[in-house]
Amino acid sequence: DFNPDFVLTSGKHNMKYFSKFFKKNKLFEIGSNRFVNNFDKNYNKKIENKKKNILILPEGTFEETKILFDLSSKLANQFRDKNFILRTHPQINMRSFLKKYFIFERYKNLSNLIISKRSFDQDLNRATFVIYRGSTGIITAILKGLIPLYYKQINEELNLDPVFDLKKYKFITSSLNDFKNIFYSKNNMKNEYYTAKLFCSNYFTPQKSLKTQRIFKLIMNYNKIST
């Protein structure tokens, strides 16, 4: 009774996934304004010193932001030769967040822990790794050539990873030792990157007004016939 009458997807990837459960006339690929096509074409030409910068991408909730902020504090203490760039979700009111958790004191003495004031694109261009959990910003980050590190909490029951079925190029981390092995690895991931780029290129597709209008007309006509 709770199954939807129709499912609108943001791209080809989710369209394929939901086709396992719904008939074709119930599924519509509506696209997303999150679509990007300016992905990194020069993966091998990344500047070496960018390996010092790790971008942190929390979701738009206080709880998830605190999880990754706490993790960043531990990482910044452990890896003093790395810079950890905290980028909060636009929905997060930092003043309310800091007032609720009162955690700024533990960060102010860490010069390698940076709360970003730059644009998303600027942060992507200055980092090599990206740590995330449920943020779909990871799609854009991968297309820009960043290496994704999904932080899985101990005893975590629900996987929040938007790219959970991406099997190559991505790392799953749970401990400081996991991060150490990844940060200082010299493995060339060029081939894995092209697989990930193809995966993410199909995650969001362009959203076009005429296509959207046509889809909603089909849905409205279907409802008229049904009633």
Side-chain angles (χ1 to χ4, degrees), residues 37-222:
N37 60 2
N38 57 336
F39 49 79
D40 188 345
K41 298 178 181 178
N42 300 305
Y43 183 76
N44 277 346
K45 296 182 181 179
K46 281 189 168 295
I47 301 172
E48 188 68 20
N49 64 13
K50 287 174 63 178
K51 290 185 177 179
K52 292 177 60 178
N53 296 331
I54 294 94
L55 180 62
I56 317 293
L57 284 184
E59 285 181 86
T61 68
F62 278 11
E63 291 77 11
E64 284 295 317
T65 301
K66 185 176 185 298
I67 288 171
L68 287 185
F69 268 43
D70 287 343
L71 172 67
S72 301
S73 175
K74 294 177 183 177
L75 292 173
N77 271 302
Q78 182 74 18
F79 306 105
R80 294 285 183 164
D81 61 329
K82 305 292 183 185
N83 296 319
F84 296 89
I85 304 166
L86 297 167
R87 180 173 183 82
T88 56
H89 193 279
Q91 290 181 343
I92 293 294
N93 183 307
M94 278 302 294
R95 182 175 295 179
S96 300
F97 175 78
L98 294 173
K99 184 178 179 180
K100 178 175 181 179
Y101 292 108
F102 199 66
I103 58 179
F104 191 71
E105 287 297 316
R106 80 179 73 163
Y107 300 147
K108 68 179 183 180
N109 294 323
L110 293 169
S111 60
N112 61 333
L113 192 59
I114 304 160
I115 297 180
S116 176
K117 295 181 181 180
R118 299 188 185 183
S119 70
F120 187 31
D121 201 52
Q122 287 174 323
D123 283 338
L124 293 175
N125 287 332
R126 62 174 169 161
T128 294
F129 298 100
V130 54
I131 300 172
Y132 73 104
R133 280 173 52 76
S135 173
T136 54
I138 191 60
I139 306 298
T140 306
I142 292 173
L143 288 172
K144 286 287 190 177
L146 277 71
I147 300 171
L149 313 180
Y150 177 75
Y151 176 55
K152 180 180 179 181
Q153 291 187 291
I154 303 299
N155 300 323
E156 181 173 292
E157 296 182 357
L158 181 63
N159 186 344
L160 301 178
D161 189 358
V163 292
F164 66 92
D165 47 356
L166 176 62
K167 305 305 180 185
K168 295 183 178 181
Y169 190 68
K170 178 186 70 179
F171 293 94
I172 298 176
T173 57
S174 296
S175 67
L176 293 179
N177 196 52
D178 289 339
F179 287 104
K180 180 180 178 180
N181 292 334
I182 295 166
F183 289 159
Y184 301 107
S185 171
K186 294 184 178 180
N187 293 334
N188 187 336
M189 301 183 67
K190 178 181 176 181
N191 293 332
E192 288 86 351
Y193 173 63
Y194 289 122
T195 300
K197 183 178 74 172
L198 179 62
F199 176 96
C200 291
S201 295
N202 290 319
Y203 201 93
F204 296 127
T205 51
Q207 193 172 62
K208 299 178 181 179
S209 58
L210 290 177
K211 181 181 178 182
T212 302
Q213 291 174 25
R214 178 177 58 81
I215 289 172
F216 277 102
K217 283 181 181 178
L218 286 172
I219 291 174
M220 289 186 289
N221 288 333
Y222 180 89

